[in-house]
Amino acid sequence: MPNPDATCPAHAPKDHPKLPTPKIGVLLANLGTPDGTDYWSMRRYLNEFLSDQRVIDYPKWKWQPLLQLIILSKRPFTSGAAYKSIWNEELDESPLATITKAQVAKVAEAMEALHGAEVVVDYCMRYGNPSTESKVRALVEQGCEKILFFPLYPQYAGATTATANDQFFRALMKEKWQPASRTVPPYFAQESYIDALAASVENAYAAMEEKPDILVCSYHGVPKRYLMEGDPYHCQCQKTTRLLKERLGWGDDAITTTFQSRFGPEEWLKPYTVEEVARLAESGKKKIAVIAPAFSADCIETLEEINEEIRESFEEAGGESFTYIPCLNDDDAHIAALVEAIQTNLAGWI
């Protein structure tokens, strides 16, 4: 794709290829989304996701036959139905895609106000489209000699941040002129992020007639084995809850940490959200609120799993009031926190 601002370098011979004006790229990355809710769209997406050894680290000879012959023959139907229940029919895309686009538009607007055309902001998905490779290529074609890669996960996990970085590095391997690169580290302890999270809770509570008995911070789970092997995710989730509690000025009994989305036979990080909300209801906490601090945007795990499956578990155990507090999404305070993280990590480049 020709670049309209490309020019031949000064003092270069006439046949030298034209080069675009040097820029800095900021590439935001989220998990991904299927292209549709039909069987084959879901199968392609799930195959890419579940074949990632950062996500499922069993030996390929053991895992792939099970995945290809059993799991991918059935799961696309159930996952497709779950996605269909939350699908953005107007734009024919998942809510994650819609929200990520809105986030990127606001981040791009803020960066343009700060740096003009010198910084180019775009986004990619680890699984599905737009792919990381295609977006790295597009940034290079626009003249980005430096790229800041920003996985949109507040807490680090091998199955999220690391695999997103892996894909970014793989894309760089294919570039003839490889741009300088940096990755944004976890930002769960960044004060502006905690402030945005706390404000979302305060606003939600202010709109309720009766305050919840407890706030459940539900994080996406990982096998407990990953923690024992050195993954810091569990510790960073616990610290996120603690920082949020301190910012809100609450006591220990007003907030708790749980983990959702368990998959497979292994023991995962506990307590499991779906079980813990039932226990809370049975113990007399009939009014709860749930927030998902590990997700930067609402997606299948929040809109379908929390708002349907986990809500149902709570209500069946005698719970009376269940409130889901949405992710920060494209809230202005969240965008400001993301821009702050970007600015910090662009230091020395701009």
Side-chain angles (χ1 to χ4, degrees):
M1 184 176 176
N3 193 316
D5 69 349
T7 57
C8 192
H11 312 297
K14 291 182 180 180
D15 62 348
H16 192 287
K18 291 183 176 181
L19 300 175
T21 302
K23 300 180 183 70
I24 295 171
V26 175
L27 186 58
L28 286 75
N30 217 321
L31 180 78
T33 170
D35 295 323
T37 61
D38 60 282
Y39 174 83
W40 289 108
S41 293
M42 290 304 311
R43 183 174 177 117
R44 282 193 301 273
Y45 174 73
L46 290 171
N47 183 48
E48 185 179 9
F49 176 45
L50 297 175
S51 292
D52 183 354
Q53 288 204 289
R54 287 279 196 181
V55 176
I56 308 289
D57 65 353
Y58 301 147
K60 289 183 180 179
W61 65 266
K62 181 186 294 185
W63 173 243
Q64 280 298 320
L66 178 64
L67 176 64
Q68 300 300 328
L69 299 176
I70 299 175
I71 295 172
L72 291 180
S73 66
K74 298 177 181 179
R75 188 155 178 176
F77 291 109
T78 55
S79 294
Y83 268 98
K84 196 170 183 61
S85 72
I86 65 164
W87 201 251
N88 184 338
E89 297 290 350
E90 183 181 351
L91 297 177
D92 191 25
E93 62 187 17
S94 74
L96 178 66
T98 304
I99 294 164
T100 303
K101 290 176 184 177
Q103 290 173 325
V104 171
K106 286 190 174 183
V107 169
E109 184 180 2
M111 296 305 294
E112 184 177 11
L114 289 167
H115 305 296
E118 187 177 354
V119 175
V120 179
V121 179
D122 208 338
Y123 79 99
C124 65
M125 298 295 187
R126 170 59 184 90
Y127 314 105
N129 296 306
S131 70
T132 305
E133 182 179 330
S134 69
K135 288 299 186 173
V136 168
R137 183 89 283 275
L139 289 174
V140 170
E141 287 177 345
Q142 291 176 78
C144 293
E145 296 181 359
K146 299 169 182 166
I147 297 178
L148 177 66
F149 186 70
F150 192 170
L152 291 175
Y153 305 107
Q155 303 82 16
Y156 173 96
T160 53
T161 309
T163 190
N165 288 339
D166 288 347
Q167 197 74 346
F168 174 57
F169 300 142
R170 279 191 284 265
L172 291 176
M173 289 171 64
K174 298 185 177 182
E175 291 301 322
K176 185 71 70 177
W177 184 353
Q178 193 178 68
S181 62
R182 292 177 179 172
T183 61
V184 176
Y187 56 96
F188 68 95
Q190 184 177 300
E191 187 175 346
S192 56
Y193 165 71
I194 295 296
D195 285 345
L197 207 56
S200 74
V201 173
E202 290 169 339
N203 292 337
Y205 273 43
M208 298 179 198
E209 291 185 7
E210 291 186 274
K211 299 297 181 284
D213 298 317
I214 193 167
L215 174 67
V216 177
C217 293
S218 181
Y219 299 84
H220 197 292
V222 297
K224 183 180 178 181
R225 173 170 53 85
Y226 291 10
L227 165 64
M228 308 313 291
E229 292 172 350
D231 193 305
Y233 178 68
H234 176 266
C235 301
Q236 293 184 3
C237 291
Q238 295 286 359
K239 186 172 180 178
T240 303
T241 300
R242 177 176 63 78
L243 291 173
L244 176 59
K245 179 194 71 174
E246 292 171 354
R247 167 61 179 76
L248 290 167
W250 290 0
D252 291 344
D253 60 347
I255 190 168
T256 190
T257 297
T258 63
F259 298 90
Q260 65 182 85
S261 309
R262 182 186 176 202
F263 175 80
E266 278 193 85
E267 179 182 356
W268 280 38
L269 298 178
K270 290 183 176 179
Y272 302 140
T273 305
V274 71
E275 295 177 1
E276 183 64 8
V277 295
R279 190 197 67 78
L280 288 170
E282 291 165 355
S283 69
K285 296 189 184 299
K286 303 297 186 181
K287 301 184 295 293
I288 68 169
V290 179
I291 193 170
F295 298 92
S296 62
D298 276 306
C299 54
I300 192 74
E301 287 87 357
T302 62
L303 298 174
E304 196 274 337
E305 185 180 359
I306 290 179
N307 232 353
E308 295 182 24
E309 178 187 345
I310 291 168
R311 176 192 293 271
E312 185 178 303
S313 175
F314 175 70
E315 292 174 347
E316 286 182 351
E320 297 169 1
S321 174
F322 182 101
T323 301
Y324 170 61
I325 300 174
C327 293
L328 295 176
N329 296 327
D330 65 337
D331 179 81
D332 288 345
H334 187 212
I335 300 304
L338 297 180
V339 170
E340 181 184 331
I342 290 169
Q343 287 287 90
T344 298
N345 285 278
L346 286 178
W349 273 7
I350 200 164

